[in-house]
Amino acid sequence: MDLNFSNEMVYTLPFYLGPILVLSILNYVRRQKHYRFNDTLTNASIAVGNLGFSLILLLGVVAIYSHVFEQYRFIELDQTNPLIYVFAFIAYDFCYYWNHRFHHMIGLLWADHIVHHTGEQFNLGVSVRISYFTELTMWMTFIPMALMGISIEVFLVVSYIEAVWAYCIHTEHFKKTPVADKVFNTPSHHRVHHARNSRYIDKNFGGVLIIWDKLFGTFQAELDKDPVVFGVRESYPSFSPLVINSYYLKNIWKKMQLSSTPWEVVCSIFAAPGWLPKNADRKTFYSATTRISCRDFKPYDPQTSLTTKWTSFIRFCVMLVLFTYLMSNFGTIGAVPATILSLLFFWLSHYNGIVLDGKKIGAYPEIIVQLLAASFVYWVAQNTQDVIVASCSIGLMVISAVNYIVYRQAPMTQQSFPVDASQQSDAL
């Protein structure tokens, strides 16, 4: 099996982001509030970064799964029999339930999965708001499928089916579907899963089927008397994908620093997210947002100027060009330029995030962009002498510089809820 997924990653982009773009435009035209610019652009930035990391991590995951299937499968199954897809689907959905539940039960796994839950609106954008390292933590619970004789080709087919379903159920447009709600994980059930309301936390882990939650006692219906409020208890005061992807790791580190015994250090990493060392004060360990009731909670939404939004969108377009070039030339471009462009991509995503946070930034983020881009142009000049690539790179440098000059007007910022000063500095 060909383990180069770079073309698939490029082709996935329009299917990933296209519907989100269309719905965002419709949302704006109809003056609805389902999609916010800052939140949607952050979701898209995280999604593109996730695709890049997935390309690398999938190589190892597919290799491990295929090796287990070839060497250690317990039974021989006819991979051409259509029924194997039914069997594989049920097995995958069952494994997904436990995988998902483990990601809520184990701190280190929650550090990865929490990225998906930090979205404070519920729309298709949240469906692609997935941690950079998801492929690294997801694969282990699916290895039993290889042992049961399900080939990687069949596994990938059912995983794509689950992924499409997961993408579609992130919506508020379908309120209740009484018949489907009995068997399937519907938008209503998944809204419950994304809520910060006490009664809804750690409920409805199912993938396509909701029957596993009903069997194992984790099912909760959406109640009219308790409207869903989306997000996590400790909301993150930043739109930077790098901050969002690393924030909970800081919590784990804080727990380890407060630990007084080796066992507490272990628990800091692997215990449930709500666990704290004996020396930790729950009131001061978490930010003030954890104490805001669902009734009073408002999404993090600093107000920025229209000019700032346009410059952020242009910067995101530059990121898409970088990503497409990287994926299209993956495996041939070489380690040095791939590293430079990857650093540039992730720096641009962070740069965009702090701009959308409404922070006053100096010239240093743009200087880093120009230095990284110039390094790539130098490499091209020294190694490939590709005039088109060099010219396009210089063009992007000019666009980025002009974009920064236009942005320089100070944006107005308006916090939607109080943020601890210490956490605000962390976001920068």
Side-chain angles (χ1 to χ4, degrees):
M1 181 180 179
D2 183 10
L3 295 183
N4 186 352
F5 294 98
S6 56
N7 287 334
E8 285 80 356
M9 295 302 171
V10 174
Y11 299 148
T12 298
L13 260 184
F15 294 102
Y16 238 36
L17 303 183
I20 297 172
L21 175 62
V22 171
L23 289 175
S24 297
I25 293 172
L26 289 175
N27 179 83
Y28 177 78
V29 171
R30 295 173 178 175
R31 299 185 180 277
Q32 296 173 327
K33 298 181 179 180
H34 298 297
Y35 289 81
R36 287 181 290 129
F37 178 85
N38 46 22
D39 183 67
T40 301
L41 204 65
T42 299
N43 291 338
S45 299
I46 293 174
V48 178
N50 166 263
L51 284 177
F53 271 102
S54 294
L55 169 64
I56 300 170
L57 299 174
L58 270 176
L59 303 179
V61 171
V62 171
I64 292 171
Y65 187 99
S66 298
H67 177 74
V68 173
F69 172 77
E70 294 292 342
Q71 301 296 326
Y72 302 107
R73 64 182 182 271
F74 298 147
I75 54 178
E76 295 288 338
L77 297 176
D78 181 3
Q79 305 298 314
T80 63
N81 189 329
L83 290 177
I84 195 170
Y85 290 94
V86 177
F87 173 63
F89 170 78
I90 295 172
Y92 186 100
D93 207 64
F94 177 79
C95 291
Y96 178 89
Y97 169 85
W98 285 106
N99 182 289
H100 197 176
R101 190 168 176 177
F102 290 153
H103 274 72
H104 282 249
M105 294 167 57
I106 299 171
L108 188 60
L109 298 183
W110 178 241
D112 171 81
H113 186 57
I114 193 176
V115 174
H116 182 59
H117 280 267
T118 53
E120 293 172 351
Q121 286 188 284
F122 194 70
N123 52 44
L124 292 187
V126 176
S127 69
V128 299
R129 188 186 182 108
I130 304 171
S131 164
Y132 293 156
F133 306 106
T134 289
E135 298 297 339
L136 195 62
T137 64
M138 284 286 288
W139 64 275
M140 291 171 283
T141 53
F142 294 102
I143 291 300
M145 293 180 65
L147 297 173
M148 290 188 291
I150 298 170
S151 69
I152 186 62
E153 291 80 7
V154 175
F155 173 84
L156 289 176
V157 169
V158 296
S159 71
Y160 291 151
I161 294 172
E162 292 265 349
V164 171
W165 184 272
Y167 184 86
C168 294
I169 61 175
H170 290 82
T171 178
E172 292 190 76
H173 290 296
F174 295 94
K175 295 305 179 184
K176 295 288 183 70
T177 49
V179 177
D181 287 349
K182 295 178 181 178
V183 179
F184 297 104
N185 183 24
T186 59
S188 176
H189 294 331
H190 204 56
R191 285 194 291 271
V192 166
H193 180 72
H194 274 263
R196 73 191 298 273
N197 311 53
S198 296
R199 77 164 74 233
Y200 295 149
I201 291 176
D202 291 340
K203 301 294 183 181
N204 300 357
F205 297 107
V208 174
L209 303 175
I210 201 67
I211 56 175
W212 312 119
D213 288 284
K214 293 183 177 182
L215 281 173
F216 299 115
T218 53
F219 174 73
Q220 173 63 55
E222 184 178 13
L223 303 176
D224 293 334
K225 67 179 181 180
D226 193 4
V228 170
V229 178
F230 301 110
V232 292
R233 286 296 181 88
E234 185 169 22
S235 298
Y236 295 178
S238 181
F239 286 112
S240 164
L242 298 189
V243 172
I244 294 169
N245 272 274
S246 62
Y247 193 89
Y248 192 79
L249 291 174
K250 293 181 182 179
N251 275 4
I252 291 178
W253 177 243
K254 283 166 60 179
K255 291 180 183 181
M256 293 173 67
Q257 290 179 309
L258 292 170
S259 297
S260 55
T261 66
W263 176 245
E264 283 194 338
V265 172
V266 173
C267 290
S268 297
I269 301 171
F270 297 106
W275 180 90
L276 288 178
K278 290 181 180 177
N279 292 336
D281 182 350
R282 187 171 294 274
K283 290 184 179 179
T284 58
F285 185 87
Y286 296 111
S287 70
T289 59
T290 60
R291 298 186 290 277
I292 297 176
S293 68
C294 288
R295 182 181 59 189
D296 298 327
F297 179 82
K298 290 183 173 130
Y300 175 68
D301 189 21
Q303 300 304 303
T304 52
S305 66
L306 182 61
T307 300
T308 298
K309 291 176 180 176
W310 270 112
T311 58
S312 299
F313 181 73
I314 292 171
R315 196 173 295 111
F316 176 72
C317 291
V318 172
M319 291 166 53
L320 287 182
V321 172
L322 284 175
F323 176 82
T324 303
Y325 178 79
L326 265 172
M327 293 299 100
S328 299
N329 296 275
F330 185 82
T332 61
I333 191 176
V336 172
T339 301
I340 293 172
L341 292 179
S342 297
L343 289 173
L344 179 55
F345 171 86
F346 287 110
W347 180 252
L348 282 170
S349 70
H350 175 65
Y351 184 177
N352 237 7
I354 58 177
V355 167
L356 292 173
D357 285 337
K359 312 300 182 192
K360 291 183 179 180
I361 63 171
Y364 83 92
E366 185 60 32
I367 291 173
I368 293 175
V369 169
Q370 296 296 324
L371 288 174
L372 288 170
S375 300
F376 178 70
V377 172
Y378 177 79
W379 179 88
V380 171
Q382 293 294 313
N383 293 274
T384 68
Q385 289 83 45
D386 191 322
V387 177
I388 295 177
V389 172
S391 300
C392 290
S393 301
I394 293 172
L396 291 179
M397 291 172 66
V398 173
I399 291 172
S400 183
V402 172
N403 205 40
Y404 172 73
I405 293 171
V406 173
Y407 158 76
R408 285 181 62 179
Q409 64 178 38
M412 294 295 293
T413 304
Q414 178 184 339
Q415 298 289 349
S416 293
F417 56 81
V419 178
D420 286 359
S422 61
Q423 293 202 11
Q424 202 163 8
S425 62
D426 284 346
L428 295 172

